[in-house]
Amino acid sequence: MTSLSVSHLFVKFGDRDVISDLSFDLAEGEIASLLGPSGCGKTTLLRAIAGLIQPSGGTIRFGSQLVGVSSVVLPPSKRGTGYVPQQGALFPHLSVAKNIAFGLDREIYSKSEISQITEEMVALIGMQGFEDRAPYQLSGGQQMRVALARALAIKPKLILLDEPFAALDAALRDELRNEVIGLLRKLGSTAILVTHDREEALVSSDRVILMRDGRVAQSGTPEEVYESPQSAEIAASTGDVLTLPADKSSTGAISYPLAAQRFAHSSRPSGYVVIRPEEIKVMKEGGIGREGVLTHIDYYGHDAMLTIDLKDDLLEDLADTSTIIRARVAGPAEFNVGQKVYLEHVGPIRYFSLP
Amino acid sequence: MKSRTFLNSFGLKALVVVVLALLLQPLAYLFIRAGEKSTSEILTLLTRQKTLEVFLTTLLLLVIVVAINVVLGTAMAAGLHYVKIPYPRLFLVASILPLAIPSYVFTYTWKALFPSMQGLWAGAFILALSTMPYMILTVLIAFQKIDLGIIEVGRSLGLSKVALFFRVILPQVRRSISAGALLSGLYVLSDFGAVSLLNVETLTVSISNLFKSSYDRGAASVIGILLFLAAAIFIAFETTLKGRDFETRGNEGFQNSIRRIGSPAHSLITVGVLGSYLICAVLIPFYVLISRFLANPTAVEVTDLITAAAATISVAALGALMAFALSLPLAFLISQGKSGFATTSERLILISHALPGVVVGLALVSFGSRLGSLYQSIYLLAFAYAVLFLAKSVASTSSALALVSPQLKEVAATLGKSRSKIATDVVFPIALPSMSLGVLLVFLTAMKELPATLMLRPTGMDTLATQIWSAASISRFNEAAPYALILVLIAAIPTFILTLPGTAKGTSASEKKVSYL
């Protein structure tokens, strides 16, 4: 396993920059998620790292080895990356065992070594007894496991997973993800996981790299990107958000609709605060909280999202700003539509000034 | 998003250029031969009454046959797909079966029953019979691909069944009707056997006569170029006419849910039309072949039969393998995704569609004498087959290669495989079954080829096609029967393969079938 360093990378499709001036580093044994909407360039970045696409500028290093620059490119066959594309892409004409052994070079390994490694890999993914099955006889989850074993068998410097769980149904997906990530951690693999599922990115990686339009929008630990987003847009890409108008006084105190110090009615907002729905405490009894009327409940089972109309005359003249609050409460929700509720914001105040 | 770096190769492009050069060589020789004549000679030849008559006859034949095909072929395909009829699969297989019968066998079986048959309308009748399956099959596959949801939406919006057919269904299959028209039109332009037996002088017959009677290869070449241009213009016309490509969501697999029209009147009309076609195009030919064979089973020596069959098989196999080998570079290039070079090459390969057997035969004869020992060998004849069927071969080979997803190649690359290893360990093992099917179909098509075979076969070598021809052209029908029976029975094999449900995996299966035609 190795560390990875991508520096000022550019990739062009025709005249369009799909990746532009993108840099990040990954330490040995670190697992990173590339998170972003479709078309943001995350798969392209992964393929550039694997050597399947030629960058138009910048460098890619595995440890101290330069593998990709615009002029000289180490071909994918010489890079030693374990590439696991969507849905596994198993070779349909080869059995499970032969798929796993596919990358083991006969000039390097003896026949017995190859079968030994294959056996180890089969055991690693818990598929003993399936060695002679054809890919079409396997379930989606099993195919992913074999694809992973095939990638791991060549002792790759780096594991690259391109939305490996996207095609699986929800229950299997979580189970397999935990299993695969656990396995990669046990082996100390440096790995990159491409995903558009924000929960998957947060739960499975040491570091989340948020991508937007071919650039890194923010990179950090899951806690950092979730708790301290650098913009409302970034906050929205890792979870649900509530954006409320806010004002910052000369003393630095921030007033907003749910703040202890209420938003002054005469002032125009100088910015906004970004709040997560789970940071709002919803109470049935009046107290310190702000009063509102519960207008809608989205019931999810394990939790519920409440829509609350803030009864606040002060805000009515601010046409553009929302007086609708969405708050997450643990299910089963003991609330009824139409009832009065009292809200309190418990969490960090993330203030962003308007340009 | 295509990976541009690691699969693109200069060598592959160079190979494609070599193949194109080989393909265009016969055409070039045609022009060189024609160029040996003076301009005034060429003009006299082109403007004389006879040439104009022949050209008009050819054009008229083309228009009549294509018109019959468009109307009746589309109607029969619609009947097969939308109307409730007894034994639908039997009707389907039977209506494709005429593909196995070469036009000269059609003609000879009909002439055996009606000896006085001849002329333009007889030619149009026979050629319509032989080309109808092209139209039925292409349009039928297009019907099958129509999204059932669209039909249901049309019904729910209040369209009657008739309005639905004309306003919703027909516009979606227009491209396929056009493609079917192209296939049958090119068949008409290149046909030699039927028109020759029926005394219809078309361009192919003219070329053959000029070549045989006066050995005036220059004049034959001029008419050959005229025929080539006619075919090329026809292809170009069809390409511009068919218009925009509809994005259809294939829904194979849900076909069972289609509700067929069940009224007795509809069924009766459908069975009537299909039945009449099948009587003319299947029952009568087979009846004649079998009865003539039984009338005198020993009309032909068994050893002659075996020799002819062996010669047919060996030269057709050689030709099919050559076509396959020549198709590989371009097929690989196409399978790597669209590039300007690949598209241009693909269009140039289409030229092989516009080179009728007579023209290829003539061109190869013209420069064959410079080839020394290759001339009058089965290799030159096999090469002629390869040129004639290159477009078919490219279509089937590239669709076989398309079965190998680019992802598999990429995974193999990341697992340390070189490009040649990827080809041998991944691409070929996966594509081979489908490729061999394509080779088989070209092989069986080559077996039926007549005009180029007549011109290029080594002296003393007889194939099934030439034996049928020489017996039928002097009305010795009993002698032709055993050869024709063997040929038709062997050629029927791909017909059954084509109509087998699920021959190939994936949604592209039906398009693949069309590409084999």
Side-chain angles (χ1 to χ4, degrees):
Chain A
M1 289 297 161
T2 179
S3 62
L4 168 73
S5 171
V6 174
S7 164
H8 302 292
L9 193 74
F10 285 83
V11 176
K12 275 185 196 299
F13 284 163
D15 292 337
R16 202 166 60 90
D17 276 328
V18 183
I19 303 278
S20 74
D21 200 17
L22 183 146
S23 304
F24 72 94
D25 292 303
L26 206 57
E28 195 176 331
E30 207 176 1
I31 297 178
S33 298
L34 287 178
L35 177 66
S38 50
C40 74
K42 50 192 196 301
T43 293
T44 304
L45 174 58
L46 198 75
R47 290 160 57 81
I49 294 169
L52 298 167
I53 298 180
Q54 178 158 10
S56 55
T59 58
I60 299 169
R61 280 172 207 278
F62 291 176
S64 59
Q65 186 194 13
L66 194 60
V67 297
V69 286
S70 53
S71 52
V72 187
V73 174
L74 199 61
S77 54
K78 300 263 161 55
R79 289 202 185 189
T81 55
Y83 179 53
V84 183
Q86 283 186 35
Q87 299 176 35
L90 295 184
F91 300 115
H93 60 302
L94 299 177
S95 66
V96 166
K98 285 187 172 153
N99 259 287
I100 293 173
F102 187 85
L104 299 172
D105 198 330
R106 296 219 178 103
E107 286 168 23
I108 299 172
Y109 298 97
S110 70
K111 224 173 177 174
S112 62
E113 280 174 318
I114 290 178
S115 59
Q116 192 198 332
I117 295 172
T118 308
E119 258 173 58
E120 283 171 22
M121 287 298 144
V122 170
L124 194 65
I125 54 169
M127 285 186 60
Q128 294 96 331
F130 289 85
E131 290 87 344
D132 296 326
R133 297 277 182 99
Y136 75 89
Q137 295 171 307
L138 304 178
S139 70
Q142 288 171 331
Q143 291 186 17
M144 278 313 308
R145 283 198 187 95
V146 176
L148 182 71
R150 179 180 62 185
L152 288 172
I154 62 165
K155 299 194 172 65
K157 298 189 178 110
L158 197 61
I159 298 276
L160 304 170
L161 304 141
D162 188 1
E163 307 212 16
F165 315 113
L168 305 175
D169 60 61
L172 179 64
R173 189 182 171 135
D174 290 359
E175 191 188 315
L176 187 67
R177 181 176 63 215
N178 292 340
E179 187 188 318
V180 166
I181 300 298
L183 199 62
L184 292 177
R185 292 210 185 284
K186 195 173 91 188
L187 297 171
S189 306
T190 314
I192 300 180
L193 169 75
V194 164
T195 180
H196 62 258
D197 182 326
R198 50 205 195 187
E199 283 178 8
E200 184 166 291
L202 294 173
V203 76
S204 52
S205 51
D206 303 313
R207 184 211 294 256
V208 176
I209 299 168
L210 282 163
M211 283 188 68
R212 275 282 178 288
D213 304 324
R215 295 163 198 272
V216 174
Q218 189 174 347
S219 156
T221 64
E223 292 79 8
E224 278 166 7
V225 295
Y226 190 80
E227 300 290 338
S228 316
Q230 282 165 10
S231 71
E233 199 197 357
I234 289 172
S237 65
T238 53
D240 296 331
V241 289
L242 199 61
T243 308
L244 295 174
D247 207 28
K248 196 171 189 173
S249 73
S250 51
T251 60
I254 295 164
S255 57
Y256 59 100
L258 291 176
Q261 186 186 359
R262 289 168 63 163
F263 190 60
H265 124 271
S266 59
S267 61
R268 308 291 305 171
S270 65
Y272 54 91
V273 290
V274 171
I275 296 172
R276 300 284 187 192
E278 65 271 19
E279 292 167 352
I280 294 170
K281 194 172 160 194
V282 184
M283 296 159 289
K284 289 185 196 172
E285 308 291 315
I288 43 168
R290 294 291 309 280
E291 186 186 319
V293 175
L294 180 58
T295 57
H296 185 75
I297 301 175
D298 291 306
Y299 180 67
Y300 291 103
H302 48 72
D303 59 16
M305 188 73 91
L306 306 183
T307 306
I308 298 140
D309 200 344
L310 267 196
K311 281 283 170 212
D312 196 339
D313 306 334
L314 299 180
L315 282 170
E316 269 172 17
D317 58 330
L318 295 171
D320 291 345
T321 50
S322 165
T323 60
I324 302 295
I325 302 288
R326 285 166 67 78
R328 199 192 305 278
V329 296
E334 300 150 339
F335 294 96
N336 295 309
V337 170
Q339 84 177 95
K340 268 188 185 165
V341 289
Y342 302 90
L343 308 180
E344 192 184 348
H345 175 210
V346 283
I349 299 169
R350 305 177 194 91
Y351 173 82
F352 300 98
S353 59
L354 285 169
Chain B
M1 293 186 205
K2 296 272 144 47
S3 57
R4 296 198 162 251
T5 47
F6 93 101
L7 281 172
N8 242 0
S9 103
F10 178 75
L12 204 53
K13 286 188 182 176
L15 277 177
V16 170
V17 171
V18 171
V19 171
L20 287 173
L22 275 176
L23 170 72
L24 295 177
Q25 208 178 7
L27 197 61
Y29 270 92
L30 213 55
F31 276 93
I32 292 168
R33 279 287 166 174
E36 285 164 6
K37 288 207 163 290
S38 73
T39 319
S40 63
E41 270 181 311
I42 293 175
L43 275 178
T44 321
L45 185 65
L46 285 177
T47 52
R48 65 179 181 164
Q49 180 77 19
K50 174 88 177 154
T51 310
L52 287 176
E53 266 173 29
V54 169
F55 189 73
L56 277 180
T57 308
T58 311
L59 214 60
L60 205 56
L61 196 62
L62 175 81
V63 171
I64 295 169
V65 172
V66 168
I68 294 174
N69 269 326
V70 167
V71 177
L72 285 181
T74 307
M76 282 193 260
L80 281 169
H81 190 62
Y82 290 113
V83 181
K84 198 179 266 175
I85 48 173
Y87 307 109
R89 275 213 65 76
L90 182 72
F91 270 103
L92 173 64
V93 173
S95 58
I96 310 299
L97 192 60
L99 276 183
I101 307 174
S103 71
Y104 51 91
V105 173
F106 264 121
T107 316
Y108 126 63
T109 52
W110 273 84
K111 277 198 84 158
L113 279 189
F114 307 101
S116 62
M117 232 179 126
Q118 62 171 338
L120 181 71
W121 288 99
F125 173 71
I126 293 289
L127 286 173
L129 288 184
S130 17
T131 57
M132 197 69 81
Y134 290 123
M135 188 60 95
I136 296 177
L137 200 54
T138 41
V139 180
L140 185 65
I141 287 165
F143 281 142
Q144 290 170 350
K145 278 178 63 191
I146 292 179
D147 189 347
L148 285 181
I150 290 175
I151 292 175
E152 281 159 8
V153 168
R155 286 293 279 170
S156 72
L157 291 173
L159 263 63
S160 72
K161 281 173 184 161
V162 176
L164 192 70
F165 184 76
F166 283 101
R167 286 180 55 193
V168 177
I169 294 171
L170 217 48
Q172 294 193 69
V173 299
R174 209 185 57 174
R175 260 181 76 89
S176 301
I177 294 175
S178 172
L182 180 70
L183 283 170
S184 47
L186 287 173
Y187 190 102
V188 172
L189 281 179
S190 62
D191 182 70
F192 169 75
V195 285
S196 180
L197 287 174
L198 292 167
N199 291 327
V200 187
E201 186 160 357
T202 61
L203 290 169
T204 52
V205 178
S206 261
I207 294 166
S208 173
N209 288 345
L210 281 172
F211 169 72
K212 270 192 306 196
S213 59
S214 56
Y215 275 90
D216 188 350
R217 289 177 186 172
S221 296
V222 172
I223 307 296
I225 290 169
L226 187 64
L227 178 54
F228 165 72
L229 289 178
I233 289 168
F234 184 57
I235 292 176
F237 181 65
E238 193 270 346
T239 316
T240 49
L241 194 75
K242 71 182 169 193
R244 203 168 64 82
D245 222 334
F246 283 107
E247 284 292 331
T248 45
R249 287 194 293 124
N251 64 342
E252 297 185 62
F254 293 101
Q255 289 310 310
N256 294 336
S257 51
I258 187 151
R259 249 184 300 148
R260 289 166 176 269
I261 302 170
S263 90
H266 283 116
S267 303
L268 207 65
I269 294 170
T270 306
V271 170
V273 173
L274 276 171
S276 329
Y277 173 64
L278 294 181
I279 288 170
C280 295
V282 178
L283 286 186
I284 288 183
F286 274 98
Y287 164 75
V288 171
L289 287 181
I290 292 167
S291 63
R292 290 284 170 164
F293 172 66
L294 294 178
N296 188 359
T298 53
V300 175
E301 296 274 340
V302 179
T303 49
D304 284 351
L305 262 181
I306 292 171
T307 316
T312 305
I313 288 168
S314 55
V315 72
L318 197 60
L321 288 176
M322 262 192 214
F324 173 65
L326 291 178
S327 74
L328 272 176
L330 183 56
F332 263 112
L333 205 64
I334 294 169
S335 75
Q336 287 171 17
K338 288 284 170 206
S339 68
F341 182 81
T343 312
T344 312
S345 313
E346 228 181 328
R347 292 213 179 114
L348 280 173
I349 291 280
L350 276 181
I351 286 177
S352 94
H353 269 318
L355 287 172
V358 172
V359 175
V360 170
L362 176 72
L364 290 183
V365 165
S366 303
F367 83 97
S369 46
R370 300 186 196 179
L371 291 173
S373 61
L374 266 184
Y375 186 54
Q376 284 274 333
S377 75
I378 64 166
Y379 300 105
L380 194 63
L381 178 54
F383 177 67
Y385 291 159
V387 169
L388 279 172
F389 305 124
L390 192 58
K392 274 187 220 294
S393 199
V394 166
S396 66
T397 310
S398 61
S399 65
L401 286 176
L403 293 175
V404 188
S405 90
Q407 264 193 354
L408 293 177
K409 291 180 248 177
E410 289 175 0
V411 169
T414 63
L415 290 170
K417 301 288 173 175
S418 65
R419 214 168 41 223
S420 57
K421 275 296 234 182
I422 294 173
T424 55
D425 293 3
V426 179
V427 177
F428 274 103
I430 296 174
L432 210 57
S434 200
M435 277 181 180
S436 32
L437 186 65
V439 174
L440 176 73
L441 292 169
V442 171
F443 162 68
L444 291 158
T445 315
M447 284 179 59
K448 295 182 286 178
E449 207 286 333
L450 179 68
T453 313
L454 284 173
M455 290 165 112
L456 290 169
R457 66 180 156 151
T459 321
M461 187 184 100
D462 276 306
T463 67
L464 293 172
T466 61
Q467 289 284 29
I468 298 166
W469 175 253
S470 48
S473 53
I474 48 172
S475 301
R476 297 167 84 157
F477 299 130
N478 288 353
E479 273 175 43
Y483 294 110
L485 261 181
I486 291 185
L487 185 59
V488 169
L489 290 179
I490 296 177
I493 295 169
T495 310
F496 288 110
I497 293 174
L498 283 174
T499 52
L500 278 181
T503 303
K505 287 173 283 180
T507 48
S508 63
S510 33
E511 280 136 280
K512 260 181 60 178
K513 288 177 184 175
V514 174
S515 75
Y516 289 139
L517 299 175

